[in-house]
């Protein structure tokens, strides 16, 4: 009990960053290390891919690897600690290729307009503009679609994409 109290009074650090045993240890094979070094030295890949390759090379704890801690890697590459941890984890769980390339998006976008609403939008855009206007704008078309209750809400960007997809021109 006295030891704990003395440690608290003297302000002994509770945890030293980077000294604990890592859950995800990166151990590269010789061929993986050569491939990564070649990738980094050529430098003809996406910037994030090169950063991930450098992270793996610095984190390599196999024989001949530097085995640097996360804070050292963050300091030398100028990236975030969480990024280093994610790359380590992805390498251990999914392999070298998966750790170098970004994950594909899992997000599913709901469509605002179905084919019927798109047809109404095109017909509206081809028709006469509202009174007092010389032509339709994207925002006017979106507002009119909402006013006619074809959709609940609609951004001008969705209107633009729909008209571009159908090769309709407002000019």
């Amino acid at each position: 009990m006295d030891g704990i109290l003395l440690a608290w009074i003297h302000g002994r650090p509770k945890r030293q960053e980077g000294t604990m045993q890592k859950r995800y240890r990166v151990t590269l094979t010789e061929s993986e290390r050569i491939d990564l070094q070649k990738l980094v030295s050529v430098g003809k890949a996406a910037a994030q891919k090169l950063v991930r390759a450098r992270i793996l090379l610095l984190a390599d704890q196999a024989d001949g690897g530097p085995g640097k801690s996360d804070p050292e890697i963050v300091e030398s590459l100028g990236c975030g600690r969480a990024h280093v941890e994610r790359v380590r984890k992805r390498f251990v769980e999914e392999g070298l290729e998966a750790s170098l390339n970004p994950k594909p998006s899992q997000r599913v976008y709901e469509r605002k307009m179905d084919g019927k609403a798109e047809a109404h939008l095109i017909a509206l855009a081809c028709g006469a503009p509202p009174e007092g206007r010389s032509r339709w704008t994207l925002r006017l078309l979106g507002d009119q679609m909402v006013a006619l209750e074809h959709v609940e809400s609609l951004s001008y960007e969705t209107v633009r994409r729909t008209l571009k997809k159908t090769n309709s021109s407002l000019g």
Side-chain angles (χ1 to χ4, degrees):
M1 177 79 172
D2 291 333
I4 295 172
L5 184 58
L6 286 174
W8 182 75
I9 291 171
H10 294 295
R12 187 171 67 191
K14 293 179 182 78
R15 179 177 153 239
Q16 288 183 337
E17 187 113 17
T19 58
M20 58 185 266
Q21 185 69 19
K22 285 291 170 193
R23 182 173 179 189
Y24 299 104
R25 292 186 64 220
V26 174
T27 52
L28 297 172
T29 63
E30 192 62 35
S31 64
E32 289 174 335
R33 189 178 305 126
I34 291 169
D35 290 342
L36 288 174
Q37 287 170 342
K38 202 178 295 181
L39 178 70
V40 169
S41 66
V42 170
K44 288 283 190 182
Q48 282 299 314
K49 187 173 189 175
L50 294 174
V51 169
R52 290 182 184 113
R54 287 184 180 104
I55 289 171
L56 292 174
L57 285 169
L58 290 174
D60 184 18
Q61 294 181 345
D63 292 337
K68 292 189 179 262
S69 65
D70 287 357
E72 292 172 323
I73 296 171
V74 167
E75 179 76 24
S76 63
L77 296 180
C79 60
R81 182 186 50 81
H83 187 147
V84 174
E85 291 173 358
R86 279 192 303 271
V87 171
R88 277 182 190 271
K89 179 179 178 182
R90 195 135 185 245
F91 174 78
V92 171
E93 291 180 350
E94 301 175 34
L96 179 63
E97 278 304 312
S99 65
L100 290 178
N101 299 313
K103 275 188 176 177
S105 175
Q106 301 296 320
R107 186 169 174 190
V108 177
Y109 294 92
E110 288 186 39
R111 293 195 60 186
K112 288 279 189 173
M113 296 196 307
D114 57 359
K116 187 176 177 183
E118 286 181 4
H120 283 291
L121 174 66
I122 293 165
L124 191 62
C126 292
E131 197 171 308
R133 299 289 187 141
S134 61
R135 60 188 165 110
W136 284 104
T137 65
L138 297 176
R139 292 179 199 273
L140 275 175
L141 285 168
D143 293 343
Q144 189 64 27
M145 289 291 289
V146 172
L148 293 173
E149 297 181 356
H150 292 297
V151 289
E152 279 187 35
S153 65
L154 193 63
S155 72
Y156 71 91
E157 181 62 19
T158 304
V159 173
R160 184 195 68 79
R161 267 188 267 126
T162 303
L163 293 176
K164 183 173 181 168
K165 179 172 71 174
T166 58
N167 293 325
S168 297
S169 173
L170 293 177

